[in-house]
Amino acid sequence: MKVELLLTGNEIMSGDIVDSNSAMMADLLGQHGWRIARKVTLGDDLPELVDEIKAQTRSSQVLIINGGLGPTVDDLTAKALALAANVPLTEHPDAMAHLEHWCGKRNYAINEANRKQAILPKGCEILANETGSAVGIFLTINDCLIFATPGVPSELRLMFKHEVLPRLCKRFAPGAVETRRLLVFGRGESTLQELISNQYPDWPAEIELGFRASMPALEVKLTTRSANQSLLDTWQQRLIDDIFQDTYIANAPSSLAQAAVDALYREQLHVATAESCTGGMVASQLTDIAGASQVFEAGWVTYSNAMKQAQLGVPAEALEHYGAVSKPVAEAMANGALRHSGADIAVAVTGIAGPDGGTEQKPVGTVWIALATRDNVYSYPLHIPLGRSLFRAWVSALCLDLIRRCALGYSLHPGYMERYLVDQAD
């Protein structure tokens, strides 16, 4: 089955809204083994829409149009479909009944603008809209099945699941497809691609390899359209064992925080946090995970020097001599959190998130992370030159991964740290 998308709206073309609908539709179609072959985005231009509909109905078996079903003058989908099908527009009784019911529940009077949503191409079927006022449209042009759907994401999702997919399943057999999304932290996609290409020149044609860069973990995607489940299992394990090793987090859906909590739970360990520049982000992400109460003891956000002393027992002389962003202070914060909480692991972070506050010796982006256990303390002087939000997000990710590594007994000097490590006298 060849599927194409047509997205409409000046607001998409201008960047006023971000297109998330095509990703949603691709995901829902992909669950049935179907792919989108082509996607076109157009503004609210009637002749262009008509020409594109005609072209796409000649090149595809299914055309899904998203947007342009509303009550305003720039909602042109129904009119464009009528012109492309060479049929008149007419009031659809089922669409009008839906509109009357929708307005009646809200004590709205139907005006001419609303009535426009019931004026549809003659002979079309409607797709029920469970929450919105505009029904969808289903018709055939050039033997191509056309589904016109609303642009509101919540309305689209329901219509797609309950109206579009059932019709497609009646006409087309679902494909045999399975996708594994492996999350890797600390490796770039170009590095992984080169490692995989060198290690496996015989990569099987039955498994499609893909990458999706995201923050903070990289997603490596394995997709097969073969019914050979064991082949996918074998090659996933080869990647983990030979390439990813301790940088493998889990299969999606997961996260660094989930992996850290899972590792702590498996090893029956408890963690505490002491944060300054991250403002509690590490603790927040850990406690977002269901079951975190089994492994998380306590968290401190000690932004000021006074609170570092009062809450965590950081020595005043360390703050005065070395400054808040330093090895002695980070290690004292971690040790203080470990001591006060009774946890097995404590992670501490103190840094300069910016945009100001840096010096020549400690520029914006400087951060010390310390991880303390009952036997040792490890500290990392890093420089991460990112904007404030990204800096805090990335530092939090490093802390979460260090917790995971410590719990699992992995090296606490991961290779990815090298790109950020800096020489510090203190």
Side-chain angles (χ1 to χ4, degrees):
M1 178 177 72
K2 185 177 181 182
V3 184
E4 297 191 13
L5 297 186
L6 175 57
L7 310 178
T8 75
N10 288 339
E11 63 275 13
I12 298 178
M13 300 294 288
S14 65
D16 290 338
I17 64 171
V18 176
D19 167 36
S20 61
N21 284 347
S22 58
M24 180 200 304
M25 290 186 283
D27 178 59
L28 293 171
L29 289 167
Q31 293 174 24
H32 290 74
W34 299 319
R35 280 181 160 183
I36 295 171
R38 183 166 172 262
K39 178 178 78 171
V40 177
T41 305
L42 291 177
D44 299 314
D45 184 292
L46 185 61
E48 286 190 2
L49 287 171
V50 173
D51 289 344
E52 189 58 40
I53 290 170
K54 289 179 178 178
Q56 289 187 276
T57 56
R58 289 191 291 266
S59 63
S60 63
Q61 295 169 281
V62 176
L63 172 60
I64 301 169
I65 303 174
N66 188 239
L69 296 179
T72 58
V73 294
D74 57 349
D75 290 309
L76 301 173
T77 295
K79 189 171 185 179
L81 282 171
L83 290 170
N86 195 28
V87 297
L89 286 167
T90 185
E91 184 177 292
H92 196 293
D94 293 337
M96 180 54 68
H98 168 82
L99 186 60
E100 289 172 346
H101 177 72
W102 188 89
C103 289
K105 286 180 65 177
R106 293 159 178 79
N107 293 319
Y108 294 164
I110 297 179
N111 55 33
E112 285 306 308
N114 281 332
R115 188 178 295 275
K116 175 178 178 288
Q117 296 172 107
I119 307 300
L120 307 178
K122 185 176 181 179
C124 74
E125 298 179 33
I126 68 165
L127 305 174
N129 189 333
E130 297 179 30
T131 57
S133 60
V135 297
I137 301 170
F138 175 60
L139 74 165
T140 301
I141 300 177
N142 295 327
D143 295 323
C144 174
L145 305 182
I146 302 176
F147 299 87
T149 58
V152 179
S154 58
E155 297 178 20
L156 169 64
R157 179 175 288 276
L158 290 173
M159 185 178 291
F160 214 85
K161 286 185 173 181
H162 299 155
E163 296 288 330
V164 177
L165 289 174
R167 284 175 167 82
L168 290 178
C169 288
K170 285 182 181 178
R171 291 167 171 80
F172 302 96
V177 63
E178 184 173 352
T179 298
R180 308 274 179 86
R181 293 177 168 86
L182 286 65
L183 301 181
V184 179
F185 182 72
R187 298 277 191 90
E189 55 187 314
S190 61
T191 299
L192 283 180
Q193 178 66 81
E194 184 174 6
L195 288 170
I196 292 169
S197 297
N198 291 340
Q199 180 82 15
Y200 306 121
D202 58 341
W203 184 267
E206 299 93 330
I207 299 178
E208 179 184 318
L209 179 66
F211 299 87
R212 186 175 72 89
S214 60
M215 170 66 194
L218 173 71
E219 183 180 284
V220 181
K221 186 166 67 172
L222 306 181
T223 302
T224 180
R225 299 180 185 279
S226 166
N228 188 349
Q229 176 78 30
S230 62
L231 184 68
L232 196 59
D233 293 339
T234 296
W235 282 91
Q236 172 178 307
Q237 198 59 48
R238 284 187 182 182
L239 285 179
I240 294 170
D241 292 342
D242 300 340
I243 305 293
F244 304 156
Q245 299 177 2
D246 60 6
T247 64
Y248 169 70
I249 303 302
N251 279 18
S254 189
S255 65
L256 279 171
Q258 181 73 65
V261 169
D262 289 346
L264 291 163
Y265 184 80
R266 192 176 87 181
E267 301 301 324
Q268 293 298 288
L269 298 171
H270 295 79
V271 70
T273 60
E275 302 176 66
S276 183
C277 61
T278 49
M281 290 177 69
V282 180
S284 176
Q285 290 180 61
L286 287 170
T287 55
D288 271 346
I289 306 301
S293 60
Q294 302 296 313
V295 300
F296 185 80
E297 289 292 342
W300 287 264
V301 179
T302 53
Y303 222 63
S304 70
N305 287 354
M307 288 298 101
K308 289 179 176 68
Q309 294 178 65
Q311 297 294 317
L312 297 171
V314 176
E317 55 269 27
L319 289 160
E320 293 168 4
H321 184 72
Y322 297 103
V325 182
S326 63
K327 176 178 180 176
V329 170
E331 291 186 349
M333 290 171 66
N335 282 322
L338 197 71
R339 183 173 62 254
H340 289 306
S341 67
D344 304 287
I345 302 168
V347 68
V349 56
T350 176
I352 306 168
D356 49 29
T359 66
E360 185 176 346
Q361 292 75 28
K362 297 178 183 179
V364 168
T366 299
V367 62
W368 278 87
I369 297 174
L371 184 141
T373 68
R374 294 179 180 180
D375 300 317
N376 293 294
V377 61
Y378 306 83
S379 52
Y380 310 86
L382 309 174
H383 183 238
I384 303 175
L386 300 172
R388 183 179 180 87
S389 294
L390 279 176
F391 168 85
R392 297 172 75 233
W394 194 248
V395 170
S396 298
L398 293 174
C399 292
L400 291 168
D401 194 50
L402 286 172
I403 294 169
R404 177 188 72 92
R405 287 177 162 276
C406 186
L408 295 175
Y410 293 158
S411 169
L412 290 177
H413 299 283
Y416 62 73
M417 282 287 195
E418 295 296 327
R419 76 188 74 158
Y420 305 117
L421 283 172
V422 294
D423 292 328
Q424 291 280 335
D426 54 358

